[in-house]
Amino acid sequence: MSETSGPLAAGDPRSIAAYHAHVYYDPQTTRGRAEYLRRRVAAEFPQAKLGRWHDELVGPHTQSMYQVAFPSGMLGPFLPWLMLNRDGVTVLLHPETGDDYRDHTAHAVWFGAVLPLRLEAFPNAAAAS
Ligand code: ZN
């Protein structure tokens, strides 16, 4: 990567300010595992911001979930930790580049399963598809 300053080219990872990990669960069956994972994330990664529990569906999500927001610098230690400690819970990991639609589709990484998303929840869905 070049050292020169200026606007970042499309696809430049330096455009990623932060990440979200969306942790999905079923309120009837896997909430306990999601809760245990949440407690462990809080203990291991105090710089992560844990969002509210959303038993009711919100935004593009088609399963209950909570969000873990964290700065770019935490990705290195968090990724392998999540691989080893996810305990079967489905997780969507995506960068925050400012393009919500792409961040949840082309830029997204899924752990465990790929869940459908309600992409019409994004205002720019029509333009981006
Ligand atoms: Zn998100």
Side-chain angles (χ1 to χ4, degrees), residues 19-22 61 67 92 94-96 100 104:
Y19 290 86
H20 287 172
H22 293 276
H61 306 285
Q67 169 188 294
L92 161 61
H94 72 80
E96 285 274 277
D100 270 352
H104 288 80

Side-chain angles (χ1 to χ4, degrees), residues 45 74-86 111:
F45 300 97
M74 197 184 111
L75 185 68
F78 185 55
L79 198 55
W81 187 91
L82 192 59
M83 287 171 176
L84 299 184
N85 296 288
R86 182 173 57 84
F111 292 75

